[in-house]
Amino acid sequence: MTDYVTAMTMHRRVLASLPILLIAVPVHAQEPEEQLILLPAVPPPPLELDLPPYPEFVPFVAAGPPHMPRQVRAMLDEAMKTDDSAAVAAMVKFAQATQPYDKDEIKGLHRAYLDRRAKELAAKTEAELARIRASGPLELWKGQIELGAFRSTGNTDNFGFTAALNFNRKGIEWEHIVQARADYQEDRGVVTREQYSASYQPRYTLNEGFFTYARTQYERDRIQGFEDRYTLSGGLGYRVLNGRTMTLSLEAGPAVRRVNYVGEPNETTWSVLTSIDFDWKINSTIKLSQDASSYIGSDNNTFTSLTALETAMSKRLKAKLSYAIEHETSPPTGSLKTDTISRFSLVYGF
C-alpha cells in the first residue's frame, strides 16, 4: 500500500511539471544552433598552373603593308585616267590628308601617273616634230578672215566697213606671220576713208626666250596724208611669257621708212621700232589681245595701239570688238595727229 501511494504521488508530480516542459521546449528550439568549423590538421598545398614552357625568343610573323580603302583607290584611278594633271594633284593631296597611313602607296600611284604622262607628252611632241619636218612650205598654215564695220573719229567721223586677213605658220625654229587689213567708207559718193595695210614678219627662234625677226610693211591712207608708206625693219625679240593661256613678246630694232606724201615731197627716214604683242586666253571662249608699236625718228614719230576682245560663238566663228589708235607727232599739213577706230566684226578661223 505504501508503494502504491508513493507511486501515485510521483505520478502527480510529473503531470504537474509537464506544462513547464512544454513551454520550455519551444523556447529552447528558437535559440540559434552553433556552427562548427572544422579546420584541417594539415594546410593545403600551393596552387600550381600547368602552362607550356616560355619560348626563349618571341616568334616573328611577317605581315604585308596596309592597303588603302577600295573607294579611295577607285577615286584615284578614275582621276588618273584623265590628262588634267592639276586635278590629279589636288585629288592626291586630298587622299594623303584623309589616309595618312597610305601616303607611300598614294605617292607611288602619283609618281607612276606623272611618268606615264611624261612619256605620252614626249611621244606626242616627237610625233608633232616629225610631222613639221615632213611638211611642205604651203602646209601648217592657220588663218583668220575678219569682216565687220567700224566707226572712226578724228580726220573723219562716220561709219564704214572693214576686212582683215591673218595667216600664221609655226615650225620648229621659224615662224611666219602675214597680215592684211582694209578700211573703206563712202559718204554721198565721196570716199571719206580708204586705208590699206599689209605686213610680213618672219621670226627665227634662238632659244626658248630670244628670237630674231624681220618685218616688211606697206600702208596707204590718203586721209592721213600719204599715198604710200613702206617700212623695213629687223631686230631682236624676247618672249617674256610663253604659257598656255598668256603670251607676251617684246621686239626692238632699227627701221627705215619711205613715205610718198600727198602733195609734198617724198622722204626716207630712219627710226627705231619697238613693239609689244600680248595675248591672254581668259577662259575657253574669251581672249584679250593688245598690240602696240612705235616708230621713233628725227622728224616724225608714229604710235599705234590695237586692243581687241574676242568671244567664241562656235568652234571656228568668233565675235570681235576692237579699238585702234594711231598717233603721228608731225602729220602732213591738213591732217590731225590722232585717229581712232572702233570695230565690231566676225572672225572665221581655219
Side-chain angles (χ1 to χ4, degrees), residues 334-349:
S335 300
L336 297 178
K337 292 184 176 182
T338 304
D339 263 4
T340 64
I341 302 177
S342 300
R343 300 182 179 94
F344 177 78
S345 57
L346 296 177
V347 180
Y348 179 77

Side-chain angles (χ1 to χ4, degrees), residues 106-229:
I106 296 173
K107 288 181 180 178
L109 292 174
H110 192 205
R111 190 179 304 109
Y113 168 79
L114 294 178
D115 293 342
R116 177 175 61 84
R117 286 289 298 146
K119 292 179 181 179
E120 291 176 354
L121 292 176
K124 185 177 180 180
T125 301
E126 186 61 30
E128 181 66 16
L129 293 177
R131 185 180 72 90
I132 293 175
R133 293 189 185 99
S135 62
L138 300 180
E139 297 177 332
L140 304 179
W141 286 94
K142 295 181 179 181
Q144 290 183 342
I145 299 176
E146 179 180 344
L147 296 173
F150 69 88
R151 180 180 185 275
S152 64
T153 63
N155 291 297
T156 60
D157 188 2
N158 41 47
F159 289 90
F161 300 95
T162 182
L165 296 174
N166 190 338
F167 297 95
N168 182 282
R169 185 184 190 275
K170 287 186 178 181
I172 299 175
E173 297 174 338
W174 285 95
E175 180 180 4
H176 303 270
I177 303 172
V178 178
Q179 294 177 330
R181 177 174 295 280
D183 294 328
Y184 183 83
Q185 199 270 342
E186 287 187 2
D187 185 9
R188 297 179 183 179
V190 179
V191 177
T192 56
R193 186 172 189 88
E194 187 179 9
Q195 185 182 53
Y196 307 99
S197 64
S199 65
Y200 167 64
Q201 178 176 346
R203 292 178 175 179
Y204 180 79
T205 301
L206 299 175
N207 55 40
E208 185 176 353
F210 289 94
F211 61 91
T212 59
Y213 75 93
R215 178 184 295 179
T216 59
Q217 182 172 318
Y218 169 79
E219 299 171 275
R220 175 183 175 87
D221 191 347
R222 293 182 58 85
I223 306 301
Q224 280 286 84
F226 54 87
E227 292 278 358
D228 307 290
R229 181 162 65 185

Side-chain angles (χ1 to χ4, degrees), residues 24-318:
V25 169
V27 173
H28 180 73
Q30 293 178 357
E31 294 180 356
E33 296 182 357
E34 295 183 359
Q35 296 181 357
L36 298 179
I37 300 176
L38 299 179
L39 297 176
V42 179
L47 180 64
E48 294 182 359
L49 299 177
D50 187 9
L51 299 175
Y54 187 78
E56 183 177 357
F57 299 101
V58 178
F60 174 77
V61 178
H67 296 283
M68 74 176 71
R70 289 179 299 174
Q71 296 84 352
V72 178
R73 179 61 182 265
M75 179 183 64
L76 291 173
D77 290 342
E78 193 65 25
M80 292 179 182
K81 292 179 181 179
T82 66
D83 298 335
D84 193 346
S85 300
V88 172
M91 192 70 68
V92 167
K93 184 178 180 180
F94 174 76
Q96 289 178 340
T98 56
Q99 305 294 328
Y101 295 104
D102 303 322
K103 283 186 176 181
D104 293 338
E105 187 175 357
I106 296 173
K107 288 181 180 178
L109 292 174
H110 192 205
R111 190 179 304 109
Y113 168 79
L114 294 178
D115 293 342
R116 177 175 61 84
R117 286 289 298 146
K119 292 179 181 179
E120 291 176 354
L121 292 176
K124 185 177 180 180
T125 301
E126 186 61 30
E128 181 66 16
L129 293 177
R131 185 180 72 90
I132 293 175
R133 293 189 185 99
S135 62
L138 300 180
E139 297 177 332
L140 304 179
W141 286 94
K142 295 181 179 181
Q144 290 183 342
I145 299 176
E146 179 180 344
L147 296 173
F150 69 88
R151 180 180 185 275
S152 64
T153 63
N155 291 297
T156 60
D157 188 2
N158 41 47
F159 289 90
F161 300 95
T162 182
L165 296 174
N166 190 338
F167 297 95
N168 182 282
R169 185 184 190 275
K170 287 186 178 181
I172 299 175
E173 297 174 338
W174 285 95
E175 180 180 4
H176 303 270
I177 303 172
V178 178
Q179 294 177 330
R181 177 174 295 280
D183 294 328
Y184 183 83
Q185 199 270 342
E186 287 187 2
D187 185 9
R188 297 179 183 179
V190 179
V191 177
T192 56
R193 186 172 189 88
E194 187 179 9
Q195 185 182 53
Y196 307 99
S197 64
S199 65
Y200 167 64
Q201 178 176 346
R203 292 178 175 179
Y204 180 79
T205 301
L206 299 175
N207 55 40
E208 185 176 353
F210 289 94
F211 61 91
T212 59
Y213 75 93
R215 178 184 295 179
T216 59
Q217 182 172 318
Y218 169 79
E219 299 171 275
R220 175 183 175 87
D221 191 347
R222 293 182 58 85
I223 306 301
Q224 280 286 84
F226 54 87
E227 292 278 358
D228 307 290
R229 181 162 65 185
Y230 304 90
T231 304
L232 179 63
S233 65
L236 186 65
Y238 180 69
R239 296 183 180 92
V240 181
L241 300 174
N242 193 22
R244 296 177 55 186
T245 60
M246 190 175 297
T247 60
L248 173 62
S249 60
L250 308 177
E251 297 176 353
V256 57
R257 309 181 79 179
R258 172 70 179 181
V259 184
N260 298 329
Y261 290 106
V262 177
E264 295 185 11
N266 303 334
E267 66 175 3
T268 302
T269 59
W270 286 88
S271 60
V272 175
L273 168 64
T274 60
S275 65
I276 297 176
D277 185 359
F278 174 74
D279 293 319
W280 178 22
K281 293 182 180 179
I282 300 176
N283 52 40
S284 59
T285 59
I286 301 177
K287 176 184 175 182
L288 175 66
S289 62
Q290 174 64 56
D291 298 329
S293 65
S294 65
Y295 291 90
I296 301 177
S298 57
D299 298 331
N300 183 35
N301 302 326
T302 303
F303 302 94
T304 62
S305 174
L306 175 61
T307 305
L309 184 65
E310 297 181 3
T311 302
M313 302 174 63
S314 64
K315 184 177 180 180
R316 296 186 178 275
L317 188 63
K318 301 177 183 179

